[in-house]
Amino acid sequence: MMPENKTKWTFLTNHSHVIICLTRDPEMRIRDLAVEVGITERAVLRILSELESDGVVTKSRVGRRNHYLVNLDFPLRHRLESQYTLRKLTESLK
């Protein structure tokens, strides 16, 4: 049984949520990412831009859609989790 959620915080960031969505569907549209994560399209665009500039995500065009490739070997950034990669995170949350 899940405990009732009385607060609005979550354990993972919106950046993590975007990455998890893109590993599940690499051609997910901005609009759909925004709905799934629960943020605005503008916020998704900002997050994607940050992830691309840091080498976490690579974007390519496939027809009329964007295709996002997540670098699963990218190490997590916080010192407490830096021994793990995105692969470990995303595999545990699929």
Side-chain angles (χ1 to χ4, degrees):
M1 184 168 142
M2 295 287 291
E4 184 179 332
N5 186 6
K6 296 179 182 180
T7 63
K8 300 220 181 248
W9 63 271
T10 64
F11 286 101
L12 300 176
T13 67
N14 289 337
H15 286 65
S16 302
H17 293 141
V18 168
I19 290 168
I20 291 164
C21 288
L22 292 178
T23 59
R24 293 176 180 170
D25 181 1
E27 294 185 359
M28 198 170 210
R29 297 179 308 163
I30 302 297
R31 175 182 299 135
D32 297 330
L33 279 166
V35 169
E36 189 70 21
V37 176
I39 57 178
T40 65
E41 291 180 35
R42 184 182 200 114
V44 170
L45 288 169
R46 181 185 51 78
I47 289 170
L48 285 171
S49 175
E50 292 171 357
L51 293 173
E52 284 181 79
S53 68
D54 286 344
V56 178
V57 171
T58 303
K59 177 175 71 174
S60 61
R61 196 80 170 154
V62 177
R64 298 179 66 189
R65 303 285 295 262
N66 288 329
H67 179 87
Y68 299 93
L69 178 64
V70 177
N71 177 1
L72 294 175
D73 294 322
F74 197 88
L76 300 181
R77 297 180 63 154
H78 194 279
R79 64 182 172 81
L80 292 176
E81 58 216 21
S82 62
Q83 70 273 22
Y84 300 106
T85 63
L86 286 176
R87 184 178 315 279
K88 188 78 165 176
L89 175 71
T90 58
E91 285 176 355
S92 64
L93 296 171
K94 280 193 174 184

